[in-house]
Amino acid sequence: MRHVWSAAALVLALGAAQVVAAEPVDIEQRIDRLLGQMTLDEKVGQLNQLSGKEFTGPATDKVRSMETEIRNGRVGSMLNIKGVADTRRLQALALQSRLKIPLLFGLDVIHGYQTVFPVPLGESASWDLEAIEESARIAAREAAASGIHWTFAPMVDVGRDPRWGRVMEGAGEDSYLGTRIAAARVRGFQGRQLGGVESVMATAKHFATYGAAIAGRDYNAVDMSDHLLHETYLPPFKAALDAGAATFMNAFNTLNGIPATGHEGLQRDILKGAWGFKGFVVSDWGSVREMVVHGYAKDLPDAAAKALVAGSDMDMESNAYASSLAAQVKAGTVPVALVDDAVRRVLRKKFELGLFDDPYRFSDPARERAALSDPRHRQAARRIAARSIVLLKNEKGALPLRRGLGTIAVIGPLADARRDLEGGWIVKSDAANLASLVDAVREQAGPGTRVSYAPGCDVACRDTAGFKAALEAAAKADAVVLAVGESWDMSGEAKSRADIGLPGRQGELFEALRAIGKTPVVVMMAGRPMIFENVAEQADAILYAWFPGSEGGRAIADVLFGAVNPSAKLPMSFPRSMGQLPISYQQYETGRPVRDLKNIVYKSAYIDAPNTPRYAFGHGLSYTKFAYSDLRLSAASMTPSGKLTLSFTLANTGPMAGAEVVQLYLRDPVASVVRPVKELKGFQRIELQPGQQRTVSFTIERDTLAFFNRKLEWTAEAGQFELMVGSASDDIRLRQTIVLDAP
Ligand code: GLC
């Protein structure tokens, strides 16, 4: 019997079809629909982020209260929760809420999750964008497999003052290098597009100018011209945004009297306005509340209102939004439209991550086991660490160490360090499973070589009682390696140092070794540039290893024995003295430049020190030699819409295969705003076999020559420009003048 649809059944079926068809597939429609169902309290809940450090301990009242908040839809994100078990458990609580909106799990995965890579400043010394992207990719793979959706990285703050401990987390002093590295890190963390279960959301932080804290003292005020802001401190953030950064984090500091967290000019006018940012901004830990302490808000409700109105979408750990934002909306102080906009931005990321379709998709036990046990990760960490180690000095053939030595003495407070290798900002130390430098030298020295070890002192090195044993060990050795520097917790957040010298009496240990005729090869570990004039003057060879990560001990040994030819270049200038700070290669000519060191009278100089750094930005040696020759231009001039090519020949004229980071610098000698004597405008890492040569080219276009003029317009002015190519900012090998024609 042919099924005859009754009219009613037909209507019901069509209606059901209509309902089914009404299920929006477009994310924006899904957001609209969900937002329309949300109460004001539920909206505010999405803007509230709590730290879950307490969840790892006993179930305290605070834990129970947080669980209740999550169950009632009053928490949008948790930070410091990791691992499949805990993320699944808390996600399940969130799904008990009325609208079942999943949580975002954020964590500081700064330079690795389980596999630790060199601290970011060290990794930046590789100038190897592929390696930097790969490192972030591996970190994302390990973190995402453990339930993490979101890392609070990369930190893209330009840092020109090594007193500031957080230079360790960034890419150094140069804005151009910073833009390239910021983009590489965002690509690494996020992959090609958000939503992949081996990717995490990135965070461009700390927006903005945190690295310019007065006197290098963490959390201190920042005061700078709009010109410097736009020319130097904003570009890495814009590069992160252009690379697709899903979120931004604002900063603790004030900028010209306004806390970054409450800075409408930064967050609404520039970031969300001019730049069109569609992700969301999270405050830094407690920074909403700190606006009261700054003296910018009279109380927490006032701080909440000022932060939200200024564009700070999510409140990390201030409890400002959770406790008072709804009341501010009801009182008319905060337009609900701004709350809705913030909620949309947060929900958009949760949809893009696929969390509404499967809230547990990142918390997969099998994937976690696979990712955390993949041997390729440690192999990559070793390779990238070796590429991050800078050969600062190498004379008298001190390095690489010869094989077959009778005895090598490895001396110093960092010689047998394991936890220090990892540096600060790690998720969980794996120190027990790491090879120290001594372990690695023993692994690589060969069967006939005895390796002795003596610390000499601890890192603080106030007590020199251990020097005697160290000198005895050195006296019997054919080669001495001295490992000195900072401990892992002497750089990073809240670790500013008023004296960035070698800690304690470490320098005296070096002197004592020299005094017995055993000048050591010096290996330095730190999270920042340090000052070590005596060592720099008297050592034959110095390697700067930063904090090189899980495989850092082996990577240092790879370089010591020549298994890896060092290729790293400094991302920050190294001062000779504290008095030179802040120091950068991007100096200005001034009206009285020092042209001749013998004549500094009435010149822009110190009467007691040179202007030049101990080691310049871009400096780094190799075990081989590179020759630059035959610079040629495709044309001597170009129109504003045109471009020209600069080419030259790079040859490996030495005994070993190696990589050279060739650097392109620009000088605009006459402009409507004076320009620095040098600006990095390009670089390439070129690998060559001994005797091999290659043509290296850079494309010069208007943007290469452009700068912000006095009206903050990005412009290039007709006239002459000097192009320079070199191995370091103070080692220019070739130069050529070009002309930009008038429009
Ligand atoms: C810290 C840092 C920030 C970090 C956040 C969460 O205070 O300033 O970089 O991401 O809190 O740990």
Side-chain angles (χ1 to χ4, degrees), residues 79 108 152 166 169 205-206 210 249 252 284-285 316 425 493:
L79 73 145
D108 292 286
F152 304 128
R166 302 198 76 167
E169 301 170 52
K205 72 183 186 182
H206 303 81
Y210 184 18
M249 180 185 288
F252 294 121
D284 199 345
W285 186 285
M316 179 192 286
W425 277 117
E493 183 175 355

Side-chain angles (χ1 to χ4, degrees), residues 381-634:
R382 178 168 178 170
R383 170 167 37 85
I384 292 166
R387 291 190 178 189
S388 305
I389 296 168
V390 185
L391 178 58
L392 294 178
K393 184 178 182 182
N394 190 23
E395 294 173 357
K396 303 175 190 166
L399 284 179
L401 293 176
R402 284 184 297 107
R403 300 280 180 185
L405 287 167
T407 301
I408 300 175
V410 187
I411 306 288
L414 289 159
D416 199 33
R418 290 176 180 79
R419 173 66 193 85
D420 294 313
L421 293 175
E422 297 173 314
W425 277 117
I426 58 168
V427 173
K428 180 170 154 298
S429 173
D430 191 22
N433 301 318
L434 304 188
S436 68
L437 175 56
V438 177
D439 298 335
V441 171
R442 287 193 169 112
E443 283 175 1
Q444 298 194 35
T449 301
R450 196 173 78 81
V451 178
S452 61
Y453 158 64
C457 59
D458 62 8
V459 172
C461 207
R462 294 189 188 90
D463 173 1
T464 62
F467 280 23
K468 182 172 177 298
L471 295 173
E472 284 166 359
K476 299 174 197 151
D478 302 297
V480 181
V481 176
L482 174 65
V484 289
E486 295 183 328
S487 54
W488 68 269
D489 54 358
M490 292 178 77
S491 59
E493 183 175 355
K495 307 292 185 194
S496 294
R497 290 178 68 194
D499 172 0
I500 59 172
L502 283 174
R505 303 173 67 173
Q506 291 183 20
E508 292 175 40
L509 180 54
F510 170 77
E511 300 291 350
L513 289 166
R514 271 184 53 78
I516 63 167
K518 291 291 180 182
T519 300
V521 165
V522 181
V523 175
M524 290 191 169
M525 295 185 211
R528 53 156 55 88
M530 292 188 292
I531 294 173
F532 42 91
E533 284 297 279
N534 282 355
V535 176
E537 286 291 340
Q538 298 164 5
D540 297 330
I542 304 171
L543 286 178
Y544 214 80
W546 314 98
F547 291 120
S550 305
E551 288 294 313
R554 293 192 173 99
I556 297 170
D558 288 338
V559 174
L560 281 172
F561 289 106
V564 172
N565 184 358
S567 57
K569 301 283 185 179
L570 293 179
M572 273 185 85
S573 307
F574 276 47
R576 298 170 189 273
S577 69
M578 297 300 291
Q580 290 183 313
L581 295 180
I583 189 169
S584 160
Y585 83 95
Q586 282 197 6
Q587 298 291 326
Y588 290 90
E589 192 69 335
T590 78
R592 299 195 176 193
V594 173
R595 299 268 190 247
D596 167 3
L597 285 175
K598 297 186 188 64
N599 170 16
I600 62 165
V601 176
Y602 295 113
K603 303 291 183 200
S604 179
Y606 305 101
I607 60 171
D608 57 354
N611 291 352
T612 54
R614 164 52 65 181
Y615 297 111
F617 173 81
H619 170 78
L621 304 178
S622 171
Y623 293 150
T624 192
K625 292 281 176 224
F626 293 100
Y628 293 60
S629 64
D630 188 19
L631 189 144
R632 49 216 184 263
L633 293 169
S634 59

